[in-house]
Amino acid sequence: MPTIDATTDATEAAHDARTEARRRQLLAAAARLMAEHGSPNVSMQAVADGAGVSVGLIYRYFGGKQDLLQAVIVSVLESFATRVAEAIGDEPDPVRRIAAAFAGYCDVIHDEREAALLAYRETKSLDPEGRRVLMDLEVQTAQPLVAAVTDAVDAGLIRPVNVPVFAYQLLMTAHSWALKHWYFGTRIAHADFVAEHTALALSAVLRPETRNHYTDLLGTLA
Amino acid sequence: MPTIDATTDATEAAHDARTEARRRQLLAAAARLMAEHGSPNVSMQAVADGAGVSVGLIYRYFGGKQDLLQAVIVSVLESFATRVAEAIGDEPDPVRRIAAAFAGYCDVIHDEREAALLAYRETKSLDPEGRRVLMDLEVQTAQPLVAAVTDAVDAGLIRPVNVPVFAYQLLMTAHSWALKHWYFGTRIAHADFVAEHTALALSAVLRPETRNHYTDLLGTLA
DNA sequence: ACACTGAATGAATGCTCATTCACTTACGAC
DNA sequence: GTCGTAAGTGAATGAGCATTCATTCAGTGT
C-alpha cells in the first residue's frame, strides 16, 4: 500500500480545497463590491477588507486588479450557464423547450440582477483576450436556446426565422429585466414579465395550425 | 432707439454663441474619448488635449469630471430624442407609425453605437439626481413609440398587449444592436436586422384579419 | 521538540490624476 | 490707446491607489 502517496494525495487535496475556498471567498467579496460600486471605485484594499483578509494576499490568488475583475465576470457567467442548463431539464417538445429555456434565463437574471449588470458595465475595460473569453461563454449560454429554436423550426412547429437572431432576441429580453429594472420593476411583476414575453415571442412565430397546442403559453394572445 | 441696449444685446449674443460653441467642443472631445476608453480611463488632461485647450478651462465650463460625464450622456440622449422624433414624421396609420418609430430608434443607435454604450456603461457612476434626469430623458424618447402602440391597440389593429412593456421591448431590441454588436454584426446586416425584428414584433400582435394589410412589413412571416 | 515550507500580513513605494490658482492673453467699451 | 473684464493657461498640490516585499505566522513531516 502506497502510504506516502496516499498521505501526499490527501494533503494535496486538502490544500487544493482550501485554495479553492479562498479563491471563492475573494471572488465573492469582489463581486459584491464591484457590482455595487463599479470596479474602478473599488480599491484592492476594499476587496481585502470585504473578504476579511490583507491586500497582499489577493496577489497570491490573482494577477492583479484586471485579472480579478475578469475572474469575477467569468464566474458570474459560468454560474449563469450552469443554472440555465439545469432549468431546461428534458422537455421533449421544442416549443415548450424554448419557453423553459427563456424562463430559465429570466429567472437567473432576476436572481443575479446586479451581477448581470456588472458584466455589461465592466467588459469594456478588459483586455481583448478576456473579452473573447466572455463572448464565448455567453454564446455557450445561449446554445440551449438556439438548439431549441432550431428543433422547433425543423419540426415545422414554428415559421422559419433567422434562428440566431430570434434566439438572441429572447436572451436580450431576459437581460432587459436587469438593464431596465428601474422601468419594468414598477410596472410589471417578474412572473408576468416572463409570461408576457413568452407569449409575444411565440405568438410571432407559431404557425396558425399549431397555435392551439400552446394556448397555455400564449395567455391573452391565444 | 436704444443703441446701448442693442450693442450690449449684440455682444451678449456673440458671447453666448462662443460659450455654446466651446461647450459643445468640450463635450464632443469628452464624448469621443469616453466612448472609446471609458470615463475612468480618460483623464481631464486627455479631454483638454483632445479639445486642444488647457485643463483649467474645462473647469470654467463644467463643475468637474462627474459633471462633464453627466453632460456628455445628457447630450447623447437629447440628440437621440431629437432624431427619433424627426424619423417618425406624420405617418397616420398607427401600425406603420410603430414600424417607423422602431426603424428610427434602430438607425440612431446604429449611427451612434459607441455613444449608446457609453450611457449604459457609465450611468452607474452618476449621482442619483443625475440618474433620474437620464431616466426621464429615456422615457421621453420612448414616448412616440408608446403613443403609437396605444393608438394601434385603441384602433383595434393589434391585439391588446401590455403597452409599456411591448414598447420597451422594441426599444431594447434597438439597443441590442449596440449592446450585442459583436454578435449580430457578423450575422446580419443592419437593414435586415430592422426588417426581421419589425416583422417579429408585428407578427406577434397583429390580428389575423389585419395581417394582410401589412404583408410588406411582415416579410417572410407574412 | 524542530526545522521547513508556503500562507498571510501590511507598511512603503511610486505613480496617476482631479482640482486649484496665480498668472497671461484677448477683447470690447470708451 | 488704455482700462476692465472675462477667457484661457499650465505648473503645483495633494489625495488615492495598485503593487511589492521584508517579515511574521501556522501547519506538517521527522
Side-chain angles (χ1 to χ4, degrees), chain A residues 15 22 54 56-57 60-61:
Chain A
H15 166 269
R22 246 302 126 78
S54 68
L57 190 63
R60 291 192 77 82
Y61 290 86

Side-chain angles (χ1 to χ4, degrees), chain B residues 124-141:
Chain B
K124 182 63 172 281
S125 63
L126 263 39
D127 56 37
E129 161 62 10
R131 260 183 296 208
R132 219 187 44 72
V133 171
L134 298 188
M135 292 190 282
D136 280 359
L137 256 171
E138 184 179 300
V139 171
Q140 288 297 322
T141 314

Side-chain angles (χ1 to χ4, degrees), chain A residues 137-210:
Chain A
L137 255 171
E138 184 179 301
V139 171
Q140 288 296 324
T141 315
Q143 226 21 67
L145 204 37
V146 172
V149 176
T150 306
D151 290 353
V153 171
D154 289 350
L157 293 167
I158 64 178
R159 303 174 205 252
V161 287
N162 185 324
V163 173
V165 170
F166 180 73
Y168 245 68
Q169 150 91 316
L170 288 171
L171 196 69
M172 279 305 301
T173 302
H175 286 189
S176 72
W177 178 256
L179 289 165
K180 299 295 176 194
H181 189 257
W182 56 268
Y183 183 84
F184 291 124
T186 59
R187 285 172 174 79
I188 187 170
H190 181 246
D192 294 336
F193 178 86
V194 178
E196 177 97 16
H197 279 293
T198 304
L200 280 171
L202 292 183
S203 175
V205 296
L206 277 174
R207 294 179 182 281
E209 59 271 27
T210 46

Side-chain angles (χ1 to χ4, degrees), chain B residues 3-22:
Chain B
T3 312
I4 288 135
D5 288 350
T7 356
T8 49
D9 278 8
T11 55
E12 251 177 43
H15 166 268
D16 286 358
R18 257 180 308 145
T19 302
E20 248 316 292
R22 245 305 124 76

